[in-house]
Amino acid sequence: MLYDPRLVQPMRDELTRLGVRELRTSDEVDEALGADGETLVVVNSVCGCAARNARPAVAMAMGHGKQPDRVVTVFAGQDAEATARARQYFAGVRPSSPSLALLSDGELQFMLERHQIEGREARDIAADLTKAYDQYCATSQ
């Protein structure tokens, strides 16, 4: 069962205000995740750990010197087709929401699953992201 779109809109807006691009179809996912360069995929969710930990961590990491070429999001429980397709790019990782995945040329390089997000401070999650950016991203801000 999908969540009411009115319920999730503020949670979507929290990321899109930052410039994160929403992916709502499997074609949009393939286009973004199959592109050359680095892509951060935010699997968004209605849960408290997405609100308190994951989305704020993404916002904090956006100010880091190195950045992925793209930051995109799919919404678990809302954009079912896009979320399922994105998860196909996360080979060997069980479905998890929220989660944060960094891909390079379509290949998974780094992943934070729900159990690595839940109960942690946003600044610590942002530090994990920026460390991954330093390791895998070529683009400086």
Side-chain angles (χ1 to χ4, degrees):
M1 179 169 175
L2 301 179
Y3 294 111
D4 182 329
R6 295 169 296 176
L7 172 73
V8 302
Q9 193 59 52
M11 298 166 210
R12 290 178 181 279
D13 293 345
E14 191 173 344
L15 291 173
T16 58
R17 274 194 299 271
L18 298 170
V20 177
R21 178 178 161 219
E22 286 188 300
L23 307 176
R24 295 194 176 207
T25 68
S26 58
D27 287 343
E28 290 175 341
V29 169
D30 286 337
E31 179 187 327
L33 277 58
D36 290 341
E38 295 78 35
T39 306
L40 178 69
V41 182
V42 180
V43 179
N44 203 353
S45 164
V46 298
C47 71
C49 61
R52 190 173 75 103
N53 310 81
R55 291 190 301 265
V58 170
M60 289 176 196
M62 292 205 130
H64 188 64
K66 282 194 174 181
Q67 292 290 308
D69 297 302
R70 285 162 298 288
V71 181
V72 299
T73 183
V74 295
F75 207 109
Q78 184 67 40
D79 301 325
E81 174 191 331
T83 302
R85 183 64 183 131
R87 286 177 171 156
Q88 290 178 351
Y89 284 84
F90 313 152
V93 179
R94 292 181 28 209
S96 173
S97 49
S99 59
L100 305 167
L102 183 65
L103 291 87
S104 181
D105 299 330
E107 296 294 322
L108 182 65
Q109 301 297 326
F110 172 83
M111 183 94 185
L112 286 174
E113 299 172 69
R114 180 186 177 105
H115 74 272
Q116 297 165 304
I117 294 171
E118 192 172 33
R120 295 181 64 212
E121 295 293 324
R123 72 176 176 275
D124 296 331
I125 297 163
D128 289 347
L129 276 178
T130 58
K131 184 177 178 183
Y133 292 174
D134 286 341
Q135 183 173 355
Y136 298 108
C137 296
T139 307
S140 292
Q141 237 181 355

